[in-house]
Every structure is written in structure tokens, then in C-alpha cells.
Amino acid sequence: MNRRDLPALAGAAILAAFSVAALPFSRGLFRAPRTPFEARAASFSAGAYVLLQRAGGVVPPGASVAVRVEPPDPTTDTYLHRFAIALLPGRKIVPAALWGIPREPETLREAQYEVVLGRRPAAPVGPLVLEIPEGTIWRQER
């Protein structure tokens, strides 16, 4: 090895050290995350992913689904609507909010199922289909 190669080798070692230091050691270096959104700053993303993945198994194809967060938040509901379109193919997704503007409650009653991220709603809309720590899924009574 040449003396001229030492600065390049030292630089490579420093870059490698910074890369290793940036790894998420607190979450476990050798454990895969539950979702692709586990390390994101948006705290609800991982929970929404888990809940909507589970909803795919209990909401039949062709059914209409309203997806919302409890307590209500139009910005989060807008994001969840887009998320649900991607994770629940073959279902009609009824938005609780669009572009940060809440929809009328009557619009949500059109859906056959309601997926609620977060705590249980104060007034359930029908029979409980699934409850997990991330949220609940309800079948709406007509």
C-alpha cells in the first residue's frame, strides 16, 4: 500500500463509521420491522398499515369501506383514504375527508364497513368485526 492511499482509506473508514452510527440500533439491528413505515416520523403510519392489512382479510372484495381516525382529524383522514386505496384493492373506499376537508357524516353511512384507526368510536356503527391495538373494524348496520 502506498502512502498516497492512506487519506482515501481513512476517508472510507470515516464514512463507514457514520453509516453504521446511523443504523436504528434502538429498534434492533437484526430484527425486521413489522411494516415498511416503522421508522417514519408519522406515528400513525405503521398502525394504519397494520390495520389496513388486517382489514384486507375481513372486508370482502367489492364491499365499500370508510376509513377514518379516532378522534377525527381531516388531515389524517385524507392520508388514510389514499392509504386505503393502495392497501384494499377491489373495495370501494369512502373518504372521511378529502384534501383536509371533512365529508358529511351521511357519506360515511354509505359504506358497508368502517375501519377506525385509534381508539374505539364513542358511538359504534354496528357489530365489531375485528379489534387490534391499532384500531377496530365495524360492519355498518343499515
Side-chain angles (χ1 to χ4, degrees):
M1 183 175 338
N2 214 335
R3 278 188 154 194
R4 288 185 290 171
D5 295 335
L6 287 177
L9 186 60
I14 290 170
L15 289 175
F18 279 127
S19 298
V20 170
L23 291 173
F25 287 107
S26 62
R27 297 194 193 281
L29 183 60
F30 300 106
R31 183 182 66 83
R34 289 183 319 151
T35 73
F37 302 97
E38 199 94 11
R40 292 199 48 152
S43 61
F44 66 89
S45 295
Y49 184 88
V50 170
L51 183 61
L52 290 171
Q53 283 290 99
R54 297 287 301 271
V58 296
V59 176
S64 58
V65 183
V67 181
R68 65 183 188 86
V69 67
E70 186 66 38
D73 177 23
T75 303
T76 304
D77 286 340
T78 298
Y79 178 80
L80 286 175
H81 173 248
R82 296 174 188 157
F83 216 39
I85 289 171
L87 293 173
L88 296 173
R91 282 92 173 173
K92 179 185 177 211
I93 309 301
V94 178
L98 284 175
W99 303 107
I101 301 170
R103 303 282 307 266
E104 296 296 322
E106 295 80 34
T107 305
L108 295 179
R109 290 192 203 108
E110 295 173 6
Q112 297 166 312
Y113 290 84
E114 187 170 284
V115 176
V116 181
L117 177 67
R119 66 179 186 227
R120 276 177 161 237
V125 296
L128 181 65
V129 175
L130 178 73
E131 182 171 20
I132 59 176
E134 290 79 12
T136 53
I137 301 172
W138 306 82
R139 189 173 60 246
Q140 296 221 40
E141 291 182 332
R142 302 220 175 229

